[in-house]
Amino acid sequence: MSLPALVAIRNRYPQARISILAKPSVADLYIHESVIDEIIVYNLKSSWDMGRKLRDRQFDCAILFQNAFEAAWIAWLARIPTRIGYKRDGRQLLLTQAVNIPGPGEIPRHERFYYLELLRRAGLIDSLPQNEAIHLRSQTPPTGKRVIGVSPGAAYGTAKRWLPERFAEAAGALAEARGASIALFGTKSERGLCEEIAQRLNGRPVTNYAGETTLGQFIDLAAGCELFLTNDSGSMHVASALGVPTVAIFGATDDTTTGPTGLNARVVRQPVDCSPCLLRECPIDHRCMIGVSAELVVKEALQLLGQ
């Protein structure tokens, strides 16, 4: 979600050296981004240590996309003279420019505009780019092999998850139609879920990568997919930002705020009165997901591929 704002910073300061401070779990997101000069991995034991390390670098400005108090605390410890961030988490006294949080209806609903609006309110950009899609780079060369990527998990909770048997049905049908193999992706805790789907694929060529890749490796593997099937998840954002044709099944969450961007992404959802509820677990019958058939997802995917 922060990548369009990073592009805007580079456009505003074309000659600046831009460094990203990121935790190890997300640092690989930025590894191939040309608008960034350096990634500093936050792998020290304490914010005190991190602040002292950054102090030696003598940065001119810190722009805090993260909302946490810790981010402002580190920038303050680093004695960075200009510290810009949203006025959240009781940290305004640590900021030199504490920006008011946008209220409902003040900016477009999608979350990428939250970061762009920080720059606008800080005077770094004049206006919001209304159609700025999220783009992520990869150095994966084309292999010529057809692979259907499937990411059936979702970290927020089971309410966001489409049924595993339908993921298997849709992936199997698409693999047959496209002459493709299937790659399953997920975290270590989702390996069992991916294994269940693999077993339902009845001997089709399938590889279960769940729990076996770093974020950087996942990005490269996803970039090599012909198509990606997913819930509303981090995998969805990565695949769609890479430009991979992506079909995302939504239920409990709101695709107008957290959906994929770009022309190669499609959202499939079943309109029901209780959706989007934004709950982690469905308290009733999961009708928003049960109402999405495998046939509908396959149809949407084939149309996206021009078939």
Side-chain angles (χ1 to χ4, degrees):
M1 298 295 188
S2 68
L3 290 175
L6 285 170
V7 172
I9 293 171
R10 170 56 70 199
N11 291 338
R12 174 66 177 81
Y13 298 105
Q15 302 304 318
R17 181 172 179 81
I18 299 177
S19 302
I20 292 289
L21 176 63
K23 293 182 178 179
S25 59
V26 296
D28 283 349
L29 275 175
Y30 306 102
I31 197 167
H32 299 310
E33 297 306 306
S34 60
V35 298
I36 299 164
D37 297 296
E38 175 189 25
I39 301 170
I40 303 171
V41 180
Y42 184 4
N43 56 6
L44 299 180
K45 293 182 178 180
S46 71
S47 55
W48 286 94
D49 294 336
M50 196 72 246
R52 283 195 293 267
K53 178 180 179 180
L54 295 182
R55 187 185 308 166
D56 295 337
R57 302 289 302 278
Q58 298 182 325
F59 286 103
D60 300 300
C61 177
I63 300 172
L64 309 181
F65 291 145
Q66 193 186 47
N67 293 318
F69 179 89
E70 182 187 29
W73 176 240
I74 291 172
W76 185 86
L77 288 171
R79 297 179 183 173
I80 300 174
T82 301
R83 303 180 297 277
I84 301 169
Y86 276 123
K87 192 186 297 183
R88 301 191 63 159
D89 209 26
R91 64 186 190 166
Q92 51 265 36
L93 293 178
L94 299 174
L95 302 172
T96 60
Q97 191 169 355
V99 175
N100 289 325
I101 304 166
E106 291 185 353
I107 59 174
R109 288 174 54 82
H110 199 274
E111 285 188 6
R112 70 189 187 277
F113 293 106
Y114 177 80
Y115 303 99
L116 287 161
E117 179 68 359
L118 173 65
L119 305 183
R120 192 191 70 80
R121 294 190 178 203
L124 301 182
I125 60 175
D126 296 328
S127 60
L128 297 180
Q130 295 300 307
N131 297 312
E132 183 69 23
I134 299 171
H135 298 289
L136 188 66
R137 298 176 185 271
S138 170
Q139 293 185 342
T140 299
T143 63
K145 297 180 180 179
R146 290 185 169 182
V147 181
I148 308 296
V150 180
S151 183
Y156 184 75
T158 60
K160 293 172 65 173
R161 294 181 180 180
W162 197 37
L163 285 65
E165 59 268 27
R166 295 192 186 175
F167 266 117
E169 183 181 351
L174 288 165
E176 182 174 356
R178 303 293 297 176
S181 61
I182 299 167
L184 300 169
F185 298 101
T187 63
K188 184 177 181 180
S189 65
E190 293 164 349
R191 179 143 187 107
L193 172 64
C194 291
E195 189 60 40
E196 176 187 348
I197 293 172
Q199 291 174 358
R200 290 177 178 273
L201 285 166
N202 298 322
R204 293 187 183 278
V206 57
T207 304
N208 184 359
Y209 290 104
E212 296 185 354
T213 65
T214 64
L215 177 57
Q217 290 168 338
F218 165 68
I219 290 172
D220 289 339
L221 287 167
C225 291
E226 178 188 58
L227 175 75
F228 210 91
L229 304 182
T230 177
N231 300 309
D232 175 16
S233 65
S235 297
M236 173 197 72
H237 291 296
V238 168
S240 63
L242 287 166
V244 175
T246 301
V247 178
I249 300 96
F250 271 71
T253 49
D254 188 350
D255 60 280
T256 65
T257 60
T258 60
T261 65
L263 299 177
N264 273 342
R266 298 288 186 274
V267 169
V268 178
R269 68 181 311 142
Q270 176 65 39
V272 293
D273 292 340
C274 54
S275 174
C277 66
L278 307 183
L279 297 176
R280 290 179 180 271
E281 310 295 335
C282 179
I284 49 174
D285 56 8
H286 213 191
R287 64 188 62 176
C288 62
M289 286 302 195
I290 291 176
V292 177
S293 68
E295 291 81 6
L296 179 60
V297 170
V298 170
K299 179 181 178 181
E300 196 72 33
L302 291 176
Q303 287 177 350
L304 184 58
L305 293 173
Q307 182 173 333

